[in-house]
Amino acid sequence: MEKTERITGVRIIRLDEVDSTNEYAKTIAHEVPEGTVVVAKRQTAGRGRKGRSWTSPEGGLWMSVIMKPPRVDPRLAFVGALAVVDTLADFGIFSGIKWPNDVWVNGRKISGILVEGKAGEYSILGIGLNVNNPIPEELRNNATSMMELTGAKLPLEEVLKKLLMHLDGWYRVFLERPDLLMAKVREKTFILGKPVTVIEGEKRISGTALDVLDDGSLLLDIGGQLKRIVYGDVSLRLF
Ligand code: ATP
Ligand code: BTN
């Protein structure tokens, strides 16, 4: 069942269950104003990039924001990542960005961001944040949740409210001062100075992560040679 309400002026569509909030958001993107948010209690087919599955049982925050910026910009993922980092900080959790689209705490993934869209029409900023949801056995070594980190169940509604507030703030920064957005991304990107491997299909490139450039790409030092890795469907592994 669909319920609609507003928090601080934002229209929120609440669903008990959906395949993916990103998919749902796409189907309504044309009819709703920018800023409309879709939140589901659980997703039956939550997705990461390249169709990888995203585990989304009840207790987590699974949401998509419909945005209508001038163009589909991969840097919108950073708007989401910084808003997650700030939200976690509000609950006493210190986190960092793992370029290009994850938020990690103590070597584990707590949140993933998925930006999709149609040029000239809309962008969907999908955010998955593990709050009180159980982490399945097979992800235990690589994933964590706010509940696991704090040892207490968190008020999901408060987490959503904070996240929406920070999203609003960082989206404005993105539109008006993208340079400031990227400066903050650099500050929060914990892989800088570290050895990483970029995986692009069958190709693997290893080097030291040097910088995140203003267009969102990653600058790698490969044995003294600089290479720019464009944000796309590349994956990144820490050594
Ligand atoms: P990259 O390092 O490039 O981001 P990734 O392995 O994190 O790659 P993504 O497509 O970004 O891949 O994210 C999907 C992956 O996230 C899944 O393959 C799974 O390993 C992991 N995952 C799925 N559900 C969750 C969850 N609820 N919390 C944390 N991690 C999850
Ligand atoms: C990733 O780590 O690759 C991104 C994961 C994104 C998950 C969120 S949950 C809400 C939205 N709906 C989806 O199907 N995916 C995103």
Side-chain angles (χ1 to χ4, degrees):
M1 211 201 29
E2 178 187 313
K3 273 187 266 165
T4 305
E5 67 183 87
R6 283 168 190 274
I7 293 184
T8 57
V10 178
R11 183 182 171 205
I12 303 182
I13 298 174
R14 291 184 186 265
L15 307 166
D16 282 337
E17 186 173 286
V18 71
D19 51 356
S20 150
T21 55
N22 265 37
E23 283 311 309
Y24 189 93
K26 278 183 211 167
T27 64
I28 59 164
H30 287 116
E31 302 141 33
V32 297
E34 173 166 59
T36 301
V37 176
V38 180
V39 189
K41 284 190 183 152
R42 43 187 187 274
Q43 297 183 116
T44 54
R47 287 184 294 101
R49 294 179 310 146
K50 286 188 158 179
R52 285 192 279 251
S53 88
W54 180 261
T55 308
S56 333
E58 208 158 321
L61 191 51
W62 324 123
M63 59 169 279
S64 301
V65 189
I66 295 157
M67 292 170 154
K68 303 191 176 173
R71 62 192 184 91
V72 179
D73 192 318
R75 287 176 305 177
L76 279 177
F78 300 131
V79 170
L82 286 175
V84 168
V85 167
D86 283 354
T87 301
L88 290 171
D90 290 338
F91 291 90
I93 299 171
F94 184 78
S95 63
I97 298 174
K98 176 175 164 280
W99 186 93
N101 69 320
D102 296 347
V103 177
W104 281 29
V105 180
N106 299 338
R108 292 190 171 139
K109 181 161 165 175
I110 194 165
S111 173
I113 320 284
L114 179 66
V115 175
E116 299 179 294
K118 227 175 181 180
E121 297 182 27
Y122 60 81
S123 294
I124 309 290
L125 171 56
I127 301 178
L129 174 59
N130 297 323
V131 183
N132 300 317
N133 53 297
I135 303 293
E137 191 60 44
E138 66 275 16
L139 291 179
R140 286 265 165 83
N141 289 335
N142 305 314
T144 189
S145 68
M146 293 176 76
M147 184 166 78
E148 185 178 277
L149 292 164
T150 60
K153 200 168 164 191
L154 279 296
L156 198 52
E157 277 309 298
E158 278 306 302
V159 179
L160 171 63
K161 221 188 228 176
K162 294 273 188 200
L163 185 56
L164 292 178
M165 188 186 80
H166 291 304
L167 277 171
D168 186 56
W170 284 115
Y171 186 51
R172 281 169 207 262
V173 177
F174 163 74
L175 292 174
E176 288 159 25
R177 291 292 307 269
D179 56 321
L180 293 186
L181 179 92
M182 294 314 296
K184 194 70 178 177
V185 167
R186 248 167 243 130
E187 190 189 311
K188 292 291 175 187
T189 299
F190 67 85
I191 58 166
L192 298 186
K194 294 195 165 63
V196 296
T197 296
V198 173
I199 305 166
E200 204 172 356
E202 298 293 292
K203 230 168 65 188
R204 278 163 188 267
I205 309 167
S206 293
T208 304
L210 283 188
D211 199 4
V212 182
L213 304 178
D214 275 348
D215 63 0
S217 58
L218 182 72
L219 190 66
L220 272 192
D221 175 349
I222 307 165
Q225 259 197 346
L226 297 186
K227 185 166 170 65
R228 203 176 128 244
I229 308 289
V230 178
Y231 183 122
D233 271 331
V234 296
S235 287
L236 190 134
R237 298 280 169 268
L238 296 171
F239 276 115

